[in-house]
């Protein structure tokens, strides 16, 4: 039997070559009777094994395709990561090179791995000439090399270093250098590199020594003295600065920036001020500072330069608080206005007095021709009002001539009843007036016309506060013994212990806001709308009460009314020279 009979040419099919040969071999074996059945079985097993190999091959092809796709994705991710890493490294390199501090990385074999621009500048060499070179190319003094090698050995043992020392650099000697050394370690690997960050603090040290030598003197001056570095950080803070700004020295020095005491709008001016200092040597002007970062403090400031270092200058601020002077200036202007108004009032008093005399003569002539039963009572009230007005005008003239106002003992109760009768015919029907007198012994030493003017002003203000709405005005009179001194508002004055005649005038009007209550006795200040008030009435009330050695207390609650309480020194019976008129203790109109 030849080879051609054993392996005939198989027909053309799409099966793999191994499967085709195995099939041909199986056919030849089945046609040949000389081969044993065992060989036929072996061929069948080979065909089955070939099928399994083909299936595994297909699986491997699928796995290979998936792996290739995943590999492509990984390559893309890796490329993106490399780009991001490169961008991050460029940003890091830019930040490091932009820093004014000297930064270098030193290998364990004492060679430079990399340096920043500031380090290369201070060495007067290019970065290329430094990278890979031993540190002896920069530091040649034995003391410097021993210190640096000691720091490197500590850092290689994962210990951070922070010291202030002196160094000899290629350009010059630096007496005060702040050095930070730290290990540069990759996770999972031993430390082989050390990062050095150095900064020249010679100018700062010079300023600190200068200020320390003069700190005792600077604490005695009346101006606030503050020193800022080029980063606006506070380096010095004297005692007056503590008082002016409300912060202790240990709270701010080396911890806070200029925004601690400068108003926000002044912070935007700071760079331009420093530029002016750099150009002209100093700057002077007004600035708004802050007390405890809240309350505005107006100051006159002078900025000067302390150091000659252009890169890291220090600035000295001296600030004088002119807020009290501003208040005095406003008070002076207010007194000038008050003086001018007083002059106008005095000049007008003469003409006003003549007009009132004419009016009284006219009313007297009319009253003589009209029966008393018709309008005699009204004319009587009118005469009393005119007479009191003439007394006021007379006092104004006497005040203008410098003549003191006559004071004498008198009873307060008759004045209140007289005022009640006058207001009873002038108040609108929507407002009721109630008087409550709990003591007949209400004698004081003063001027009855002025006290009448005080009560009239308070009642008129009460009427205006209620407007067209319904309301009530209450006037009370009592004597009271104050056993302990107390504080009266709004001027926070101390009311001494003693015996007082206490008069209260209260209303149920719209009240006064709390922030306005402190200013109601200021001349020309008015809570009324423009054109409705002069701001003189309550100022006159306060002046008259103080001239009577008394105190006035004001309290108010918006939408619930206002109460004025007058405390006037009470005259004992042995001091009284005028009898008290007996009247009913309560009268309601």
């Amino acid at each position: 039997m030849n080879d051609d009979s054993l392996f005939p040419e198989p027909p053309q099919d799409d099966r793999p070559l191994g499967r085709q040969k195995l099939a041909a071999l199986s056919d030849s074996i089945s046609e040949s009777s000389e081969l044993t059945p065992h060989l036929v079985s072996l061929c069948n097993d080979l065909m089955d094994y070939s099928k399994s190999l083909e299936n595994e091959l297909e699986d491997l092809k699928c796995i290979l395709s998936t792996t290739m796709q995943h590999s492509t994705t990984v390559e893309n991710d890796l490329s993106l990561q490399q780009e991001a890493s490169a961008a991050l490294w460029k940003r890091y390199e830019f930040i490091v090179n932009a820093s004014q501090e000297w930064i270098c990385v030193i290998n364990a074999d004492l060679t430079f791995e990399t340096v920043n621009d500031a380090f290369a500048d201070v060495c007067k060499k290019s970065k290329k000439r430094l990278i890979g070179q031993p540190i002896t190319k920069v530091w040649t003094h034995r003391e410097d090399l021993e210190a640096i090698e000691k720091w490197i050995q500590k850092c290689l043992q994962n210990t951070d270093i922070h010291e202030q020392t002196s160094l000899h650099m290629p350009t010059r000697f630096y007496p005060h250098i702040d050095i930070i050394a730290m290990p540069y370690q990759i996770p999972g690997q031993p430390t082989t590199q050390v990062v050095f960050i150095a900064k020249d603090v010679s100018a700062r040290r010079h300023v600190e020594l200068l200020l320390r030598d003069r700190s005792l003197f600077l604490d005695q001056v009346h101006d606030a003295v503050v020193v800022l570095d080029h980063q606006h950080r506070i380096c010095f803070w004297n005692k007056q600065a503590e008082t002016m700004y409300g912060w202790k020295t240990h709270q701010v020095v080396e911890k806070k920036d200029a925004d601690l005491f400068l108003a926000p709008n002044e912070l935007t001016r700071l760079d331009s001020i420093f530029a002016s200092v750099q150009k002209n040597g100093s700057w002077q002007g007004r600035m708004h500072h802050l007390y405890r970062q809240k309350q505005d403090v107006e100051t006159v400031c002078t900025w000067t330069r302390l150091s000659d270092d252009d890169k890291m200058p220090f600035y000295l601020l001296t600030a004088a608080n002119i807020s009290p002077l501003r208040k005095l200036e406003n008070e002076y202007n207010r007194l000038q206005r008050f003086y001018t108004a007083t002059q106008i009032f005095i000049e007008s008093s003469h003409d006003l007095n003549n007009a009132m005399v004419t009016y009284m003569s006219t009313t007297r002539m009319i009253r003589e021709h009209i029966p008393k039963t018709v309008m005699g009572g009204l004319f009587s009230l009118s005469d009393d009002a005119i007479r009191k007005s003439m007394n006021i005008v007379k006092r104004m003239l006497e005040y203008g001539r410098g003549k003191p106002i006559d004071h004498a003992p008198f009873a307060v109760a008759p004045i209140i009843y007289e005022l009640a009768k006058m207001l009873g015919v002038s108040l609108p029907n929507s407002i009721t007036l109630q008087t409550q007198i709990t003591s007949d012994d209400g004698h004081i030493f003063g001027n009855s016309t002025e006290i009448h003017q005080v009560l009239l002003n308070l009642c008129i203000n009460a009427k205006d506060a209620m407007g067209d709405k319904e309301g009530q005005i209450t006037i009370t009179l009592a004597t009271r013994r104050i056993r302990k001194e107390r504080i009266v508002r709004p001027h926070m004055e101390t009311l001494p212990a003693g015996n007082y005649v206490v008069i209260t005038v209260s209303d149920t009007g719209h009240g006064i806001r709390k922030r306005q209550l402190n200013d109601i006795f200021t001349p020309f200040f008015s809570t009324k709308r423009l054109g409705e008030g002069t701001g003189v009435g309550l100022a006159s009330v306060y002046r008259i009460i103080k001239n009577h050695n008394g105190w006035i207390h004001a309290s108010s609650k918006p939408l619930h009314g206002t109460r004025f309480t007058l405390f006037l020194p009470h005259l004992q019976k042995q001091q009284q020279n005028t009898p008290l008129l007996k009247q009913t203790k309560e009268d309601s109109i």
Side-chain angles (χ1 to χ4, degrees):
M1 183 178 297
N2 55 23
D3 293 338
D4 293 336
S5 62
L6 289 176
F7 300 100
E9 186 70 23
Q12 296 293 326
D13 55 22
D14 296 331
R15 292 178 297 179
L17 182 60
R19 289 281 305 278
Q20 293 177 16
K21 290 184 178 182
L22 287 174
L25 178 62
S26 177
D27 293 340
S28 299
I29 291 173
S30 60
E31 293 175 359
S32 175
S33 59
E34 296 179 3
L35 296 176
T36 61
H38 178 71
L39 188 57
V40 173
S41 176
L42 180 60
C43 288
N44 290 333
D45 293 340
L46 288 174
M47 291 182 66
D48 293 338
Y49 180 68
S50 175
K51 289 181 180 181
S52 64
L53 288 178
E54 290 178 4
N55 294 334
E56 291 180 2
L57 183 60
E58 290 296 329
D59 294 340
L60 289 175
K61 288 182 179 180
C62 293
I63 294 173
L64 181 60
S65 176
T66 304
T67 303
M68 292 180 65
Q69 293 177 359
H70 180 68
S71 176
T72 303
T73 304
V74 171
E75 288 179 358
N76 293 334
D77 292 343
L78 184 60
S79 177
L80 293 175
Q81 290 181 3
Q82 289 176 346
E83 293 177 359
S85 178
L88 184 62
W89 176 258
K90 287 183 179 179
R91 184 179 303 175
Y92 163 77
E93 189 176 16
F94 173 79
I95 293 173
V96 170
N97 286 325
S99 175
Q100 295 182 350
E101 298 172 336
W102 313 333
I103 302 175
C104 64
V105 178
I106 301 178
N107 297 315
D109 59 357
L110 303 183
T111 59
F112 290 109
E113 175 68 22
T114 184
V115 299
N116 73 336
D117 292 343
F119 188 88
D121 291 341
V122 77
C123 295
K124 295 299 182 182
K125 295 181 180 180
S126 65
K127 296 168 65 175
K128 292 182 179 180
R129 292 181 60 188
L130 288 172
I131 295 176
Q133 297 298 317
I135 63 174
T136 54
K137 293 290 185 179
V138 173
W139 295 294
T140 57
H141 287 72
R142 182 174 58 83
E143 298 84 357
D144 296 340
L145 288 174
E146 290 178 353
I148 293 172
E149 290 177 2
K150 181 179 68 175
W151 296 334
I152 291 175
Q153 293 302 321
K154 288 185 177 180
C155 290
L156 292 177
Q157 298 175 5
N158 297 326
T159 301
D160 293 344
I161 304 296
H162 188 186
E163 292 187 8
Q164 285 196 1
T165 184
S166 59
L167 277 180
H168 293 81
M169 300 299 290
T171 52
R172 65 182 180 89
F173 172 70
Y174 290 87
H176 301 285
I177 299 292
D178 186 72
I179 288 184
I180 297 176
M182 63 188 73
Y184 181 70
Q185 184 178 16
I186 299 176
Q189 298 183 11
T191 302
T192 58
Q193 295 176 335
V194 176
V195 179
F196 273 86
I197 303 175
K199 180 172 63 173
D200 178 21
V201 293
S202 300
R204 174 185 289 271
R205 187 61 177 167
H206 171 72
V207 171
E208 289 176 352
L209 294 175
L210 184 67
L211 294 174
R212 187 180 65 184
D213 293 340
R214 293 164 174 78
S215 61
L216 183 61
F217 166 74
L218 294 176
D219 284 339
Q220 302 302 319
V221 299
H222 296 290
D223 295 342
V225 179
V226 180
V227 176
L228 301 180
D229 63 10
H230 66 289
Q231 296 178 334
H232 303 174
R233 185 166 291 271
I234 299 171
C235 303
F236 180 79
W237 189 268
N238 74 336
K239 293 293 184 182
Q240 186 60 30
E242 293 181 353
T243 303
M244 185 180 298
Y245 304 125
W247 303 99
K248 296 296 183 181
T249 301
H250 69 273
Q251 294 177 302
V252 299
V253 173
E254 302 294 343
K255 298 177 182 178
K256 299 294 183 179
D257 296 336
D259 58 358
L260 180 74
F261 65 93
L262 288 182
N265 60 322
E266 300 291 3
L267 285 172
T268 58
R269 299 175 55 198
L270 201 57
D271 289 334
S272 63
I273 290 174
F274 285 174
S276 178
V277 173
Q278 294 274 31
K279 180 179 179 182
N280 304 319
S282 65
W283 180 93
Q284 188 173 16
R286 293 191 176 186
M287 298 184 72
H288 288 274
H289 294 179
L290 297 176
Y291 175 81
R292 301 290 294 185
Q293 293 186 300
K294 295 179 181 179
Q295 183 177 346
D296 180 73
V297 179
E298 189 174 1
T299 63
V300 172
C301 299
T302 300
W303 290 90
T304 53
R305 188 171 171 179
L306 279 182
S307 64
D308 297 329
D309 191 340
D310 293 332
K311 294 184 178 180
M312 292 183 290
F314 288 81
Y315 301 95
L316 172 68
L317 164 67
T318 57
N321 184 4
I322 62 171
S323 296
L325 296 179
R326 178 68 70 182
K327 291 181 180 178
L328 289 176
E329 183 181 352
N330 294 335
E331 183 70 14
Y332 174 77
N333 293 333
R334 182 184 66 80
L335 291 176
Q336 285 291 99
R337 295 196 306 270
F338 190 71
Y339 173 77
T340 303
T342 303
Q343 293 289 41
I344 295 173
F345 291 157
I346 294 173
E347 291 172 1
S348 303
S349 297
H350 184 267
D351 297 334
L352 184 61
N353 185 65
N354 292 337
M356 288 182 177
V357 170
T358 303
Y359 179 77
M360 281 197 68
S361 300
T362 304
T363 55
R364 186 180 299 110
M365 293 174 60
I366 295 174
R367 186 171 55 183
E368 292 176 354
H369 294 82
I370 296 178
K372 294 182 179 180
T373 56
V374 180
M375 297 183 65
L378 295 179
F379 277 112
S380 178
L381 289 175
S382 177
D383 285 345
D384 291 340
I386 292 297
R387 190 175 295 106
K388 291 186 179 299
S389 299
M390 292 181 67
N391 288 334
I392 294 174
V393 172
K394 180 181 178 183
R395 285 191 296 103
M396 291 175 65
L397 289 171
E398 291 175 348
Y399 176 77
R401 299 187 185 104
K403 182 179 179 180
I405 297 174
D406 295 332
H407 282 197
F410 68 93
V412 179
I415 296 176
I416 295 178
Y417 288 119
E418 184 181 354
L419 179 67
K421 290 180 181 179
M422 180 185 300
L423 294 175
V425 296
S426 61
L427 289 176
N429 295 330
S430 59
I431 298 176
T432 61
L433 174 66
Q434 185 176 7
T435 59
Q436 298 177 357
I437 300 178
T438 60
S439 175
D440 292 336
D441 189 24
H443 283 70
I444 64 173
F445 185 81
N447 186 279
S448 59
T449 303
E450 286 191 326
I451 296 301
H452 184 278
Q453 180 185 352
V454 166
L455 298 178
L456 181 60
N457 281 338
L458 293 177
C459 290
I460 291 175
N461 284 345
K463 175 184 73 70
D464 294 340
M466 289 179 283
D468 298 332
K469 299 180 180 179
E470 292 186 356
Q472 177 176 299
I473 300 174
T474 304
I475 305 175
T476 67
L477 172 66
T479 57
R480 185 184 305 174
R481 178 173 178 80
I482 305 297
R483 299 186 181 278
K484 294 182 179 181
E485 65 178 27
R486 54 182 293 187
I487 302 298
V488 293
R489 296 176 182 273
H491 290 172
M492 305 303 292
E493 297 173 327
T494 301
L495 176 66
N499 297 316
Y500 293 93
V501 173
V502 182
I503 309 170
T504 63
V505 179
S506 58
D507 62 68
T508 57
H510 53 68
I512 303 174
R513 296 178 181 175
K514 185 177 180 180
R515 59 184 176 85
Q516 295 177 328
L517 202 60
N518 295 332
D519 300 319
I520 58 175
F521 296 122
T522 302
F524 308 110
F525 176 84
S526 178
T527 60
K528 301 174 184 177
R529 289 179 294 184
L530 185 64
E532 295 184 359
T534 61
V536 176
L538 287 179
S540 299
V541 167
Y542 182 80
R543 177 184 59 81
I544 292 172
I545 295 300
K546 298 306 292 183
N547 288 341
H548 282 71
N549 297 320
W551 288 263
I552 181 168
H553 176 81
S555 61
S556 182
K557 188 175 182 181
L559 304 179
H560 289 79
T562 304
R563 175 189 295 268
F564 290 93
T565 305
L566 312 179
F567 296 88
L568 297 168
H570 182 212
L571 286 181
Q572 303 302 319
K573 289 186 177 181
Q574 60 270 20
Q575 299 173 306
Q576 301 170 8
N577 296 324
T578 58
L580 179 66
L581 298 179
K582 299 293 182 180
Q583 298 190 26
T584 57
K585 291 190 178 182
E586 183 168 334
D587 186 19
S588 179
I589 298 176

